[in-house]
Amino acid sequence: MIKTAPSEYRFTAPRKLGAVFGRIRPSGPFLWILPAGLCVLFIFGYSVVDLVQQSFKYQGDWVGFENFLLVLTDPLFRTAITHNFLLLFTVPILTVMSFTCAVLLFETRKGMKFYRSAVFLPYILPIPVIGVVFGQLLQLNGALNSALRAMGFESLALDWLGDPKQALWTMSGIIIWKEVGFGTILILARLISIPLETLEAARIDGAGFFRLHWQVTLPQLRAVILFYIINESIVMVSWVFNYVYVMTNGQGGPGNATVVSELYIYRSAFQNNAPELAATAALLLLLATLVFIIGFFRIQRNMSKGVFDD
Amino acid sequence: MKITGKVIAAGSAVAVLLSTFTLIGASASVDPKKAFPTKPVTLTMWWWGEQEAPGAQAWVDATVAAYKKKRPNVTIKTVLQTTDGLVPGFAAAAAAKSGPDLQYFWGGIYSQQPGWDGQIAPVSDHIPAAELKHYINATTELSFQGKIWTAPWYVNPSFPVLARTDILSKYNLKVPTTWKDLLKVCDVLSKEGVPTLAGGVKDGWFGGWLYSIIGGQSVTNKDVVAAVVGKQKFTDAKHADWWTRLQETKERKCWNSDINSLELYQAQQLWKDGKAAMTVVAGPDAPNFANAVGASKVVVMAMPKWSTGKFAGKMGSTSQTIGITQWSKNKDVAADFIMFGHEKAQLNSWYKLTGSMPADDRFDLNSVKDPVKKALFKSALPGAPYLENFIPAQLDADAVFANVQLVLAGTKTGKAAAADMQAVMERLRKTDRNLVKNFTAWNK
């Protein structure tokens, strides 16, 4: 049996415009997106083509895969990629925290607006502000450690950003603090749109708090949580430059403890005058990000099929 | 005898001719008769320096205004750059071949590299040799292929150590002048909970300073360039021993414990606040630091000696510079502005507003009455070569900055740091295919 999408998912052009473009109706959707498509193609397409070209050249001369070999054998690049990979471990933590916060906010009757704003506030703060504030706060003799020492927790007063063993994990904590607001609001928005009857019915059937949200709410949030996971994975692979740059003065230090692939690209291009190596590393990063994007679309398509099948 | 006389005469004539040709050659493309444009001209200058020579902004504003009076058709827009943004900002402008007409550069490699990469025009093509010969350090650091690439602006005695006698005498200590004495001071003060040296390496730059003032004691700039091109190794004793000295300062608790979580300028404040006995500051800013705590309580000196090398106990000297970009449509006007900045009135005004030394031997040192400044300026004439300016900037950042942080964090030994520096250099010779050629030519 051939299954089709419900009528509300099918494209239908407005009648008047449909009459105007009547003869070319099959390609109608493409016409609608053509201006934006051309714009995107020019901005991104040109850059990507240029990036690919540069990665195979050195000062204008064709060098084949030499730049790829140099980048892939660079210990600093491998360190940077490892750090990006380690940052991916924050994604499950972020997801669990966002889901928990969203459910708690959903269940909170009093002061929901205040709590919602409080959770979302870090997300809208500019990263340079966060960098400066945490840079001061987390100094060895900064406010946090002073408070810990005052409370008698001397052993917990660590050099958060100055010790190479701790710096990356401190950075992860700051990223989680900022990004959790986005996940919470995203999940909460979907949570609010779940029909109340569904939740009421589960409650009448005797579902308690945990069972209700684990077995009823969570399955309904599957799509939005998946989107959040993919989005945050992309963030950890290719969007953490700002955090590292502002909190380590563009060094990725101490040593190379917080160097990430974007910082490697930036330093290659703008500090080390090696645009070809920067282009090569950028191309590799783009390919890594594409894996996530393709994965996201495939899962989304499978889920959509499931929805329509149901 | 007659023959000898003729030979001497002929030799002298040849020498005079050669000298004349050399002078003409150096300023071959400078045409003094070239008419100054009368149409409106706008120049943009990206600069840095207020950070290390407070008052520089006031001088730039006043000089631009004075130049406007002299050349009413020329407008100069100035943009102060951040420390972290100076190099990347210019790299982005150079990639787009658009941006400033006049660009600030630190000396040495920071001035050379843009020339090698075709991003700037040699100033010697636009400023006569007779004028350029007065610019301090122009030939030491900035010449390549017979050209001088950027024009020295002000001298940076690099880098003075400031010692507070009030803090040292409180613990019956004298100002240390040798490494052994320094470590003894560290032992005493660390027991009292007072850092001997205040420093901050979070932003990296201080690592380069330490390399120059500790590492520079056992090598010359020729040695360093030899290690860059592969004729020596950074693991050779004379190149590597300074890392062990640095490790000693960590082990003997010479530094403030939060050195890795503070930026350099934040850490220097500890010294001003009387919480540390010694610190290292930028040369142009040293008089300001000394005056802030009372010059009578401060001794300005070079880093205590640990080596018997040629430059041990000497302060380095480098000039911060201004270059003319390759894409500038008004190179001669830009050069004219640079020369205007070296006129007597501007030289005196620079000293008056910043308290630091203009990079011009026509500046009258007798006009300097402050003993701290006088001692500092004299130490820079002629100073030791400033080592950090003779290594590739990437080696500085990837090996020196990074390893200094790790050695001072106590997670890496001096020996391992030297090995890493050598490994980074070897790799750099592969990634920058012109590096050996350029550095070899520069070292001639």
Side-chain angles (χ1 to χ4, degrees), chain A residues 58-59 63 66-67 70-71 73-76 135-136 138-141 159 161-165 245-249 251 253-256 264 266-267 269-273 277, chain B residues 84-85 87-89 91-92 95 113 117 119 201-205 257-263 266 393-394 397-398 401-403 405-406 409 411 420 427 430-434:
Chain A
Y58 180 71
Q59 294 187 341
V63 292
E66 201 177 304
N67 292 330
L70 285 171
V71 168
T73 55
D74 187 350
L76 188 59
Q136 301 276 333
L138 299 175
Q139 283 173 3
L140 184 64
N141 296 322
D159 196 354
L161 288 166
D163 185 340
K165 290 174 202 150
Y245 189 89
V246 297
M247 269 183 280
T248 67
N249 299 76
Q251 300 298 322
N256 296 319
Y264 178 90
Y266 171 80
R267 279 166 54 169
F270 299 110
Q271 286 180 350
N272 303 336
N273 205 30
L277 297 184
Chain B
D84 294 334
V87 176
Q113 191 74 47
D117 296 335
Q119 296 164 349
V201 292
K202 187 187 167 198
D203 44 355
W205 303 107
S257 58
D258 54 355
I259 186 167
N260 263 293
S261 64
L262 291 187
E263 291 168 18
Q266 292 171 331
Q394 188 175 352
D398 289 2
F401 293 5
N403 283 304
Q405 288 174 335
L406 296 178
T411 57
D420 188 61
R427 186 179 159 71
K430 287 183 195 161
T431 54
D432 185 347
R433 286 83 152 181
N434 298 324

Side-chain angles (χ1 to χ4, degrees), chain B residues 96-153:
Chain B
K97 292 188 171 51
S98 163
D101 298 276
L102 288 154
Q103 169 72 24
Y104 180 105
F105 296 101
W106 294 311
I109 187 62
Y110 292 96
S111 296
Q112 288 291 310
Q113 191 74 47
W116 300 344
D117 296 335
Q119 296 164 349
I120 52 173
V123 290
S124 55
D125 281 358
H126 303 276
I127 298 176
E131 168 75 9
L132 265 178
K133 72 176 184 186
H134 293 290
Y135 296 8
I136 297 169
N137 289 325
T139 47
T140 324
E141 290 187 332
L142 313 168
S143 62
F144 178 71
Q145 293 176 336
K147 309 262 187 187
I148 292 173
W149 289 82
T150 58
W153 176 1

